[in-house]
mmCIF file of all heavy atoms in Angstrom:
data_model
loop_
_atom_site.group_PDB
_atom_site.id
_atom_site.type_symbol
_atom_site.label_atom_id
_atom_site.label_comp_id
_atom_site.label_asym_id
_atom_site.label_seq_id
_atom_site.Cartn_x
_atom_site.Cartn_y
_atom_site.Cartn_z
ATOM 1 N N LYS D 191 -9.998 -13.131 -11.386
ATOM 2 C CA LYS D 191 -8.797 -12.393 -11.011
ATOM 3 C C LYS D 191 -7.813 -12.305 -12.171
ATOM 4 O O LYS D 191 -7.130 -11.285 -12.343
ATOM 5 C CB LYS D 191 -8.150 -13.040 -9.787
ATOM 6 C CG LYS D 191 -8.987 -12.870 -8.521
ATOM 7 C CD LYS D 191 -8.266 -13.369 -7.284
ATOM 8 C CE LYS D 191 -9.092 -13.087 -6.037
ATOM 9 N NZ LYS D 191 -8.406 -13.528 -4.799
ATOM 10 N N LEU D 192 -7.745 -13.338 -12.968
ATOM 11 C CA LEU D 192 -6.871 -13.285 -14.144
ATOM 12 C C LEU D 192 -7.365 -12.234 -15.134
ATOM 13 O O LEU D 192 -6.557 -11.552 -15.778
ATOM 14 C CB LEU D 192 -6.806 -14.659 -14.818
ATOM 15 C CG LEU D 192 -6.098 -15.760 -14.005
ATOM 16 C CD1 LEU D 192 -6.203 -17.100 -14.721
ATOM 17 C CD2 LEU D 192 -4.634 -15.403 -13.767
ATOM 18 N N ALA D 193 -8.677 -12.076 -15.230
ATOM 19 C CA ALA D 193 -9.233 -11.054 -16.117
ATOM 20 C C ALA D 193 -8.869 -9.658 -15.630
ATOM 21 O O ALA D 193 -8.585 -8.755 -16.441
ATOM 22 C CB ALA D 193 -10.754 -11.206 -16.196
ATOM 23 N N VAL D 194 -8.865 -9.463 -14.315
ATOM 24 C CA VAL D 194 -8.475 -8.166 -13.750
ATOM 25 C C VAL D 194 -7.010 -7.872 -14.084
ATOM 26 O O VAL D 194 -6.651 -6.749 -14.459
ATOM 27 C CB VAL D 194 -8.701 -8.157 -12.222
ATOM 28 C CG1 VAL D 194 -8.071 -6.924 -11.592
ATOM 29 C CG2 VAL D 194 -10.190 -8.194 -11.908
ATOM 30 N N ALA D 195 -6.149 -8.892 -13.973
ATOM 31 C CA ALA D 195 -4.725 -8.705 -14.286
ATOM 32 C C ALA D 195 -4.521 -8.414 -15.768
ATOM 33 O O ALA D 195 -3.683 -7.583 -16.137
ATOM 34 C CB ALA D 195 -3.938 -9.953 -13.879
ATOM 35 N N THR D 196 -5.294 -9.071 -16.607
ATOM 36 C CA THR D 196 -5.212 -8.805 -18.051
ATOM 37 C C THR D 196 -5.616 -7.368 -18.359
ATOM 38 O O THR D 196 -4.964 -6.677 -19.155
ATOM 39 C CB THR D 196 -6.107 -9.781 -18.834
ATOM 40 O OG1 THR D 196 -5.663 -11.126 -18.590
ATOM 41 C CG2 THR D 196 -6.058 -9.502 -20.320
ATOM 42 N N ALA D 197 -6.681 -6.906 -17.704
ATOM 43 C CA ALA D 197 -7.145 -5.536 -17.925
ATOM 44 C C ALA D 197 -6.106 -4.518 -17.470
ATOM 45 O O ALA D 197 -6.043 -3.403 -18.001
ATOM 46 C CB ALA D 197 -8.460 -5.309 -17.183
ATOM 47 N N ALA D 198 -5.268 -4.894 -16.502
ATOM 48 C CA ALA D 198 -4.220 -3.992 -16.005
ATOM 49 C C ALA D 198 -2.996 -3.984 -16.913
ATOM 50 O O ALA D 198 -2.078 -3.187 -16.694
ATOM 51 C CB ALA D 198 -3.808 -4.386 -14.592
ATOM 52 N N GLY D 199 -2.969 -4.875 -17.917
ATOM 53 C CA GLY D 199 -1.878 -4.830 -18.887
ATOM 54 C C GLY D 199 -1.015 -6.065 -18.973
ATOM 55 O O GLY D 199 -0.026 -6.079 -19.718
ATOM 56 N N ALA D 200 -1.344 -7.140 -18.226
ATOM 57 C CA ALA D 200 -0.516 -8.349 -18.268
ATOM 58 C C ALA D 200 -0.474 -8.933 -19.674
ATOM 59 O O ALA D 200 -1.504 -9.037 -20.343
ATOM 60 C CB ALA D 200 -1.044 -9.381 -17.286
ATOM 61 N N ASP D 201 0.720 -9.312 -20.111
ATOM 62 C CA ASP D 201 0.871 -9.932 -21.428
ATOM 63 C C ASP D 201 0.489 -11.408 -21.402
ATOM 64 O O ASP D 201 -0.012 -11.949 -22.390
ATOM 65 C CB ASP D 201 2.328 -9.803 -21.897
ATOM 66 C CG ASP D 201 2.751 -8.357 -22.049
ATOM 67 O OD1 ASP D 201 2.365 -7.730 -23.045
ATOM 68 O OD2 ASP D 201 3.457 -7.850 -21.158
ATOM 69 N N HIS D 202 0.756 -12.068 -20.275
ATOM 70 C CA HIS D 202 0.434 -13.476 -20.096
ATOM 71 C C HIS D 202 -0.129 -13.661 -18.692
ATOM 72 O O HIS D 202 0.318 -12.999 -17.750
ATOM 73 C CB HIS D 202 1.681 -14.364 -20.257
ATOM 74 C CG HIS D 202 2.467 -14.097 -21.508
ATOM 75 N ND1 HIS D 202 2.096 -14.574 -22.745
ATOM 76 C CD2 HIS D 202 3.609 -13.377 -21.700
ATOM 77 C CE1 HIS D 202 2.981 -14.173 -23.651
ATOM 78 N NE2 HIS D 202 3.898 -13.448 -23.037
ATOM 79 N N VAL D 203 -1.097 -14.565 -18.541
ATOM 80 C CA VAL D 203 -1.657 -14.866 -17.220
ATOM 81 C C VAL D 203 -1.581 -16.360 -16.960
ATOM 82 O O VAL D 203 -1.731 -17.170 -17.877
ATOM 83 C CB VAL D 203 -3.116 -14.371 -17.079
ATOM 84 C CG1 VAL D 203 -3.168 -12.851 -17.118
ATOM 85 C CG2 VAL D 203 -4.004 -14.957 -18.147
ATOM 86 N N ILE D 204 -1.330 -16.710 -15.708
ATOM 87 C CA ILE D 204 -1.213 -18.100 -15.288
ATOM 88 C C ILE D 204 -2.049 -18.281 -14.028
ATOM 89 O O ILE D 204 -1.911 -17.505 -13.072
ATOM 90 C CB ILE D 204 0.252 -18.475 -14.987
ATOM 91 C CG1 ILE D 204 1.115 -18.304 -16.243
ATOM 92 C CG2 ILE D 204 0.351 -19.902 -14.452
ATOM 93 C CD1 ILE D 204 2.614 -18.475 -15.967
ATOM 94 N N ASP D 205 -2.908 -19.309 -14.011
ATOM 95 C CA ASP D 205 -3.676 -19.593 -12.811
ATOM 96 C C ASP D 205 -2.751 -20.144 -11.737
ATOM 97 O O ASP D 205 -1.878 -20.967 -12.015
ATOM 98 C CB ASP D 205 -4.793 -20.596 -13.106
ATOM 99 C CG ASP D 205 -5.826 -20.634 -11.998
ATOM 100 O OD1 ASP D 205 -5.524 -21.217 -10.923
ATOM 101 O OD2 ASP D 205 -6.922 -20.084 -12.179
ATOM 102 N N ALA D 206 -2.949 -19.693 -10.499
ATOM 103 C CA ALA D 206 -2.080 -20.096 -9.396
ATOM 104 C C ALA D 206 -2.131 -21.593 -9.117
ATOM 105 O O ALA D 206 -1.234 -22.132 -8.456
ATOM 106 C CB ALA D 206 -2.454 -19.323 -8.137
#
Side-chain angles (χ1 to χ4, degrees):
K191 291 187 176 182
L192 292 175
V194 170
T196 299
D201 298 283
H202 309 281
V203 294
I204 299 172
D205 195 285

